[in-house]
Amino acid sequence: MSSSKQQVSLPFIGSLLQGERNAITDVAGVTVGHRTLADGPVQTGVTVIRPHAGDLFRDKVPAAAAVLNGFGKSVGLLQVEELGVLETPIALTNTFSVGTVAAAQIRRCVADNPECGRTLPTVNPLVFECNDGFLNDIQRMAVSEADYLHALTDTGVDFEQGSVGAGRGMSSFQLKGGIGSASRRVSARNDGTSGGLGGEKNAGTGGLHTVGALVLANYGRQPQLLLAGHAVGERLAALQAERSLPAVNEAEKGSIIIVVATDAPLDARQLRRLALRAGAGLARTGSVFGHGSGDIVLAFSTAYTVPCSVERPMPAVAMLHDGLLDGLFQAAADSTEQAIIHALCRASPVTGRDGNHRAALSDVLPASALFSTHA
């Protein structure tokens, strides 16, 4: 789904090929859905990422997290770190709605698996959050369990970006933030090279793989903003001075959640390494992982599933050699940086609680003023 704002020519990050949609859903089987609440002081929502269309409790996917700065209130990370698998779809929402969404995930799992918590193990809900309290009246706790189910039902390969779902009330660099996504394709080869514009044919034992990223951008200090290497924060400061407006220089107190998906056969240890490389893309936009910013990355693979039942055989999968991971690392960094650009440039302005307002970056500075070159 797109709007005229999404058709603006934006810089392309890196040298790797993008997927068909340039989104996390270019990883086969991955779908995304939103539920957006936009009513006066209530500006919030839920975003759901499904790694596959089946029952994740019965057919788990390998996963790992990297906490770049742990100022956050997410649920479920402890067991992901210990067991290295996902058991529910990934949910994103505001800080005060984590409990409600986790409860919805548990109820849905029990409905699908009536023996969950009895003869079957309990389920590990997985909910990430950012504080949208500047635009959203977070104390209302407006998100309901039905909103999670709506987002879950809404999942598909095509989805909106910007001020939607969990991104509705998010701010980034004192501008409107929100949801952004991108993807890159990469050849992991056994000929001593990895990555680059490797063409559309499989090469060596690694073959062609896709890495996709989705971000919930709610972080950053405007003076530090960099987009595709351009010092956009400095341009915004100059514009403020020209208009005799006060400079924007708020302390860092936001967060960003980054979800990285790949179809490459990686285990949990390798996925944690992949998750860490998303931090390189985040840093390129001007983030220093500030004290008050909860910067968390989750990476998962769709290459195989891990059964819940001990009576089913474990998958016999040949993992990629660690020496072939550099291309995937580049793809994670580039798709993360690209996704952040998409979140900022595809966001629409929002006015919310107590009249608080966040302008869209594209309304403050047109793309022609932001970037001197285009890919």
Side-chain angles (χ1 to χ4, degrees):
M1 301 174 69
S2 63
S3 67
S4 59
K5 186 167 290 186
Q6 289 174 298
Q7 303 306 314
V8 173
S9 178
L10 299 176
F12 186 86
I13 301 301
S15 59
L16 299 175
L17 300 171
Q18 69 177 50
E20 178 183 355
R21 301 174 187 85
N22 199 9
I24 195 172
T25 51
D26 287 322
V27 177
V30 176
T31 53
V32 175
H34 302 299
R35 173 64 162 172
T36 304
L37 305 180
D39 184 12
V42 174
Q43 302 290 332
T44 192
V46 183
T47 294
V48 172
I49 304 167
R50 299 186 71 181
H52 63 65
D55 186 338
L56 277 159
F57 181 68
R58 293 187 176 272
D59 294 291
K60 311 173 196 305
V61 297
V67 179
L68 305 176
N69 193 64
F71 200 105
K73 291 85 177 172
S74 300
V75 164
L77 284 180
L78 186 64
Q79 186 169 307
V80 171
E81 180 180 6
E82 181 69 21
L83 301 185
V85 293
L86 301 183
E87 298 184 346
T88 67
I90 302 154
L92 312 176
T93 190
N94 74 68
T95 307
F96 284 0
S97 295
V98 169
T100 297
V101 173
Q105 289 185 325
I106 294 169
R107 291 187 207 279
R108 177 58 185 261
C109 182
V110 170
D112 293 339
N113 302 276
E115 288 302 304
C116 176
R118 294 178 175 173
T119 60
L120 292 174
T122 56
V123 66
N124 181 48
L126 188 61
V127 187
F128 294 96
E129 55 77 31
C130 291
N131 180 1
D132 60 8
F134 179 77
L135 290 173
N136 174 49
D137 186 355
I138 196 170
Q139 293 183 356
R140 291 198 183 194
M141 300 186 185
V143 172
S144 67
E145 292 186 27
D147 293 323
Y148 167 78
L149 295 175
H150 185 284
L152 183 67
T153 303
D154 185 58
T155 53
V157 294
D158 296 313
F159 62 96
E160 290 187 88
Q161 299 180 41
S163 305
V164 293
R168 177 63 188 178
M170 300 300 169
S171 303
S172 198
F173 297 96
Q174 290 75 59
L175 298 163
K176 190 65 192 69
I179 298 290
S181 191
S183 69
R184 295 293 182 265
R185 307 180 74 194
V186 60
S187 292
R189 302 191 284 264
N190 64 357
D191 59 359
T193 63
S194 181
L197 292 173
E200 295 299 319
K201 296 181 179 179
N202 290 349
T205 58
L208 191 68
H209 298 293
T210 300
V211 174
L214 183 145
V215 303
L216 178 62
N218 188 56
Y219 75 102
R221 297 182 60 246
Q222 193 173 110
Q224 297 170 330
L225 176 57
L226 298 170
L227 293 181
H230 297 266
V232 175
E234 293 181 5
R235 298 187 189 187
L236 289 171
L239 183 63
Q240 297 285 338
E242 290 174 7
R243 297 177 178 176
S244 298
L245 298 173
V248 177
N249 195 21
E250 297 178 15
E252 172 64 278
K253 53 183 178 181
S255 298
I256 184 169
I257 304 300
I258 305 169
V259 179
V260 177
T262 184
D263 55 13
L266 305 179
D267 61 21
R269 176 187 61 81
Q270 293 172 315
L271 286 165
R272 184 177 185 279
R273 298 187 71 200
L274 186 68
L276 281 169
R277 272 56 183 192
L282 174 59
R284 292 178 197 162
T285 66
S287 171
V288 296
F289 315 156
H291 161 70
S293 185
D295 305 331
I296 302 172
V297 188
L298 179 85
F300 67 87
S301 171
T302 62
Y304 59 98
T305 60
V306 177
C308 174
S309 172
V310 297
E311 298 176 354
R312 293 170 55 195
M314 289 290 284
V317 180
M319 304 299 172
L320 274 185
H321 193 286
D322 281 7
L324 298 175
L325 295 181
D326 279 351
L328 297 176
F329 290 167
Q330 180 183 347
D334 289 354
S335 59
T336 297
E337 183 180 1
Q338 188 79 68
I340 291 168
I341 291 174
H342 289 167
L344 285 166
C345 293
R346 293 175 174 174
S348 55
V350 169
T351 300
R353 176 183 64 85
D354 297 331
N356 290 341
H357 179 77
R358 291 298 193 199
L361 174 61
S362 56
D363 291 339
V364 176
L365 281 176
S368 58
L370 284 172
F371 310 113
S372 58
T373 60
H374 302 278

